[in-house]
Amino acid sequence: MSIIDWFAKKEKSTGSSERLNIPGDVWVKCTSCSEILFQKDLESNQKVCPKCGFHFRISPEDRIRYTFDTNTFIEKDSEIGPTDFLRFFDTESYTDRIRKAQSKSGKNDAVVSGTATINGLPVNTAIMNFAFMGGSMGSVVGEKITRTIERSVEDFKPVVVFTSSGGARMQEGIMSLMQMAKTSAALERLAEQRVPYISVLCDPTTGGTSASFAILGDINIAEPGALISFAGPRVIEQTIRQKLPKGFQRSEFLLAHGMVDMVTDRRELRHTLSTLLTTLSIPREPNQ
Amino acid sequence: MKLLPFEKPLAELYDKIAQLRKLSVEGNIDLSGEIEKIEGRAEQVRKEIYTNLTPNQIVQVARHPHRPDTDSLIRLIFDTFVELHGDRLFGDDPAIVGGIATLGQFRVVVMGHQKGHDTKENIRRNFGMPNPEGYRKALRLMQMADRFRMPIITFIDTPGAYPGIEAEERGQAEAIARNLREMAGFTVPIVSFVIGEGGSGGALGIGVANRLYMLQNAVYSVISPEGCASILFRDAKKSDIAADAMKITAPEIVKLGIADGIIPEPLGGAHHDWKVVSQSIQEAIQAELCKFKDLSEQEIKSQRYAKFRAMGRFLDPGI
C-alpha cells in the first residue's frame, strides 16, 4: 500500500464514523464486509458477522461460553506465570511487555487451560489468547499445554485445544523453541494411551505453534478464513519475491491440501465437537 | 579460504606475507625471517580475534562457506555409509542426506541438513533448507532405525525449513510437527550435533535427541538474528543486538540445559581442519552409544521425555 492509499483509506474510515457518530463499544464494523454491526447482535451470534460470516477473533472467556456446558469450566494452572530469564530487551524489556499484557488481560500468559464438559462429556482443554503478546508460545504456554495433555494421559478425558498464536515467543529464545518438542512429546504419550485429541485451529495459527501441537490433532478443525501456516505470508513473499495467491494459507486452502479434516463454522462447533468426541472415545471406566 | 569481515586485520597480514613471498621468489632474496615474524604476528592476531568473538561473529563462523558439511562429516566419521533416498510420498529432498552407517561395533542411521560450499551446490541443496519431503525422508529413516534397533545420529545445519508456496501446500508444519512427536516415541538412542546453524523448527525437526552437542562455533536459535531484529527491533541491521539478546551460542545453550556438551573447534573455526573436528565428533558418538548400550528401550524413551519435559522457565507458586 502506498502512503497515499493509506491516507485515502484513513480519511474514508474517519468519514464514515463521523457520519454515523457512533461510540465504539455499541457498534462495530465488520473487518471483512465493512457492514456496521450492532455489538450486541454480533455477540449473540458468537462474534460471527451475521452478514458475511466473517469470524472475529475471540477471547478465551467467549470461547468457553460458546463451547462448553454452562459453568462447567474449571480453570487449572492459572497461577503459572512468565519470567524474563534472559533479561531480554528489544524496543522495551520483556519484563515490561509481560506486565503490560498481564494488566490488559488480567491473565498470566497467552493460554487458559482447565476442565469442562461438552454436552455432558468431560474434556481437558486449553484455549490460546491471541490478544496476549500475539498468543506467542513461551515456557508458560508450553507448560500449560503439556500439563493439559498429561492430565488426559492420566484420566483418559479427550483433549480439545483452541489455537491462536503467531508462533514461538522470541523473548524466551531457544526455550520457546523447545516448547514445540515438549508439547509434541506429550502428544506422543497421549496417542499411546489411545485418548483422542482434537485441535481447533483459529485465526491465526502460525510458526512454532502450527508446527507442533496445533497440527497434530487426531482431528484438525479449522475455523473459516483462519490464517494457518508455517512460514508467514510476508516471509514467503520476501523469499520468492512474488505476490501470493488470494486465499493462500487460509483454512479452506488447508482443507483442499489435506491438512485439516474440516472447516467448521463457530456456531456449529459445539455440536461438531460433541459428535466427534462421543464417537472417537473408547468406552472405558474413568481412571480415578 | 574466505576471510570473514571481522578477520580484516588478518587479511592485511596475509596480504603482506603473500607479497613478501612473491618478492622473495622474484628477487631471489631470503625474506624467511621477515615472513616468519609476520606469520607469528598473524597467529597472535587470530588468537586474539577468536578468543573474544561476539555472538554475531560466531553466527558468521557458523555460516562460513567452507564449514564442514553433513555429507563430508559422515564420510570422515563412519567406517561405511550407504546413502538412502526419498520419502516414498513425493520426492527426494537434497537438503537432507541420510542413510545407514557403521562405526566400529555400532550400526546406526545417520542424517543431517546438507548445505553446499559453492553457489551451484547450494542451489541444488536449497541452502540446507528442507521441504516437507526432507523431514518425511528423515522420519522414514528414523522409523527404520527404530525397527532395526539402530541408534540415530543427526547433524543439524540449516537456516530453517524452507518458506515457500509448495512447502506450505505439502504441509511444512505437519511434517515438522510429526517428527517432533514421533522422535519422542523412539526406543533407540538419538544423538544430535548442531554443526553450524541451528535454525528454529527446521533444526528441531531432526533434533529431538537424548543427547545434544553443539560445535563450539555453532548457534541454535528460535529465529535467525536477522528475523528477530526485523520483527522485534524493527531493523534487520540490528541483528548483532538480536544475536546477543537471544543467547544462541554453544555455552549459552548448554547453560540453559538444552545442549549437553560442546565439541571444540580448532582456532579460527571448524573450516580450518575438518579432520580434527570429525574425530572429536566420532569420539563423542562412541562414548554416547556406549552409555546407552546398558539402558532398556523404555529407559531410553523415558530419559528423552524427561529431558524435554524439564525445558521451560516460569514462575509457579504451587511448587
Side-chain angles (χ1 to χ4, degrees):
Chain A
M1 189 178 1
S2 78
I3 190 81
I4 296 157
D5 294 338
W6 185 78
F7 274 117
K9 199 177 167 195
K10 202 165 180 211
E11 265 173 33
K12 209 173 109 198
S13 62
T14 35
S16 66
S17 85
E18 269 170 23
R19 196 170 56 242
L20 288 163
N21 193 23
I22 44 171
D25 53 347
V26 177
W27 296 89
V28 62
K29 188 169 155 185
C30 175
T31 321
S32 179
C33 70
S34 303
E35 180 80 357
I36 307 293
L37 307 166
F38 193 35
Q39 178 83 36
K40 269 195 184 146
D41 289 346
L42 186 63
E43 270 167 28
S44 68
N45 203 38
Q46 302 198 2
K47 299 212 174 141
V48 176
C49 173
K51 192 174 171 229
C52 73
F54 175 77
H55 283 52
F56 284 74
R57 287 177 189 159
I58 59 173
S59 67
E61 291 73 24
D62 283 341
R63 180 68 66 185
I64 289 164
R65 208 167 38 244
Y66 302 153
T67 314
F68 302 118
D69 301 333
T70 311
N71 293 329
T72 60
F73 179 79
I74 300 163
E75 190 171 359
K76 302 264 188 192
D77 303 320
S78 62
E79 69 286 357
I80 303 177
T83 166
D84 183 10
F85 56 93
L86 295 180
R87 305 203 168 279
F88 195 98
F89 194 98
D90 46 82
T91 52
E92 58 183 307
S93 74
Y94 181 36
T95 304
D96 285 344
R97 282 186 193 275
I98 293 169
R99 202 175 301 135
K100 277 186 199 166
Q102 285 178 335
S103 66
K104 218 174 110 190
S105 66
K107 294 287 181 189
N108 267 341
D109 211 303
V111 70
V112 173
S113 61
T115 63
T117 67
I118 304 177
N119 273 346
L121 189 82
V123 297
N124 289 308
T125 186
I127 304 138
M128 298 185 85
N129 183 8
F130 190 75
F132 192 108
M133 290 187 74
S136 54
M137 170 160 62
S139 298
V140 173
V141 170
E143 181 69 18
K144 287 174 80 169
I145 297 279
T146 304
R147 287 191 189 185
T148 302
I149 298 163
E150 284 181 338
R151 268 195 285 277
S152 286
V153 170
E154 295 295 320
D155 64 19
F156 302 143
K157 290 178 194 166
V159 181
V160 181
V161 174
F162 299 85
T163 62
S164 182
S165 164
R169 187 172 294 171
M170 286 173 277
Q171 290 89 347
E172 294 191 16
I174 194 77
M175 207 60 94
S176 62
L177 185 72
M178 293 304 143
Q179 304 311 307
M180 293 170 64
K182 184 164 103 179
T183 51
S184 303
L187 286 173
E188 199 278 330
R189 290 202 154 180
L190 188 74
E192 204 176 52
Q193 295 299 325
R194 299 170 199 275
V195 177
Y197 164 44
I198 297 185
S199 175
V200 183
L201 297 100
C202 310
D203 187 60
T205 298
T206 65
T209 303
S210 77
S212 59
F213 60 90
I215 206 86
L216 288 174
D218 293 299
I219 294 177
N220 292 332
I221 302 175
E223 280 205 333
L227 175 71
I228 302 165
S229 71
F230 174 68
R234 249 185 316 159
V235 176
I236 298 176
E237 278 183 351
Q238 280 164 13
T239 311
I240 61 170
R241 289 169 206 284
Q242 46 179 289
K243 272 268 167 217
L244 294 169
K246 203 171 174 287
F248 181 63
Q249 299 179 320
R250 296 288 162 180
S251 301
E252 298 73 16
F253 171 93
L254 271 92
L255 181 69
H257 286 90
M259 295 302 148
V260 297
D261 292 277
M262 60 190 86
V263 177
T264 303
D265 189 298
R266 185 177 294 154
R267 293 161 294 186
E268 303 292 323
L269 201 52
R270 184 182 145 83
H271 175 72
T272 304
L273 284 171
S274 162
T275 309
L276 292 172
L277 291 172
T278 312
T279 314
L280 273 184
S281 298
I282 301 174
R284 61 180 138 196
E285 292 297 307
N287 185 25
Q288 274 166 351
Chain B
M1 189 81 65
K2 187 197 157 202
L3 287 174
L4 297 165
F6 63 85
E7 293 176 308
K8 209 174 154 214
L10 276 176
E12 284 158 17
L13 291 171
Y14 288 153
D15 271 356
K16 216 176 240 172
I17 293 167
Q19 276 170 22
L20 286 175
R21 283 223 173 96
K22 199 173 158 202
L23 198 67
S24 124
V25 173
E26 282 171 0
N28 202 14
I29 333 163
D30 180 18
L31 293 169
S32 55
E34 288 291 308
I35 292 171
E36 227 168 83
K37 225 165 101 188
I38 300 173
E39 275 176 343
R41 170 87 192 117
E43 200 49 32
Q44 206 188 329
V45 169
R46 199 151 76 118
K47 204 175 274 176
E48 277 165 24
I49 293 173
Y50 270 84
T51 42
N52 295 301
L53 290 183
T54 66
N56 197 45
Q57 289 168 340
I58 293 174
V59 170
Q60 294 171 54
V61 179
R63 292 174 182 167
H64 195 285
H66 293 288
R67 201 165 168 84
D69 60 283
T70 290
D71 189 63
S72 303
L73 283 176
I74 288 175
R75 288 167 204 283
L76 285 168
I77 291 166
F78 295 95
D79 305 333
T80 64
F81 174 61
V82 181
E83 189 178 351
L84 302 171
H85 293 275
D87 67 349
R88 301 293 191 269
L89 294 162
F90 178 80
D92 181 45
D93 189 346
I96 287 189
V97 298
I100 52 177
T102 55
L103 175 60
Q105 55 170 317
F106 297 110
R107 316 136 53 230
V108 303
V109 163
V110 57
M111 68 191 70
H113 305 98
Q114 182 65 29
K115 287 187 185 176
H117 298 290
D118 54 40
T119 308
K120 197 181 154 207
E121 183 67 2
N122 258 325
I123 288 170
R124 184 165 102 80
R125 302 291 187 180
N126 202 25
F127 298 84
M129 293 183 284
N131 276 286
E133 52 273 23
Y135 293 104
R136 291 178 181 137
K137 168 167 75 176
L139 180 62
R140 179 177 77 83
L141 297 181
M142 289 191 276
Q143 284 167 335
M144 185 175 72
D146 196 46
R147 193 179 319 132
F148 298 131
R149 318 292 329 136
M150 299 158 89
I152 298 163
I153 311 294
T154 75
F155 296 123
I156 292 165
D157 189 17
T158 180
Y162 185 60
I165 290 183
E166 294 83 4
E168 294 288 322
E169 287 176 340
R170 296 198 289 273
Q172 188 73 282
E174 195 274 346
I176 291 172
R178 180 181 294 270
N179 282 17
L180 303 183
R181 184 183 67 194
E182 297 304 311
M183 288 182 89
F186 293 142
T187 55
V188 292
I190 304 173
V191 184
S192 295
F193 296 84
V194 186
I195 60 171
E197 271 185 284
S200 193
L204 186 62
I206 58 166
V208 184
N210 293 78
R211 301 281 289 172
L212 177 72
Y213 284 85
M214 302 269 300
L215 260 60
Q216 188 184 336
N217 293 310
V219 292
Y220 200 178
S221 62
V222 64
I223 184 172
S224 70
E226 292 82 359
C228 176
S230 79
I231 296 169
L232 285 185
F233 298 80
R234 309 272 155 88
D235 182 358
K237 289 187 203 92
K238 289 191 173 158
S239 61
D240 52 336
I241 308 173
D244 191 33
M246 285 196 294
K247 311 293 178 213
I248 63 177
T249 63
E252 298 281 5
I253 300 297
V254 169
K255 213 167 91 187
L256 287 165
I258 309 297
D260 302 290
I262 297 174
I263 306 284
E265 292 183 28
L267 189 68
H271 52 283
H272 285 282
D273 197 337
W274 292 13
K275 205 143 188 216
V276 167
V277 173
S278 72
Q279 276 162 2
S280 306
I281 297 175
Q282 187 190 58
E283 283 162 24
I285 292 173
Q286 278 171 323
E288 287 298 343
L289 294 187
C290 282
K291 275 187 235 165
F292 281 105
K293 258 174 82 172
D294 299 328
L295 295 189
S296 72
E297 293 183 4
Q298 195 51 50
E299 281 170 333
I300 289 167
K301 188 176 156 181
S302 299
Q303 185 265 332
R304 192 186 310 116
Y305 190 85
K307 180 181 174 170
F308 283 89
R309 185 66 190 84
M311 289 178 190
R313 300 270 176 95
F314 50 86
L315 306 173
D316 186 357
I319 291 177

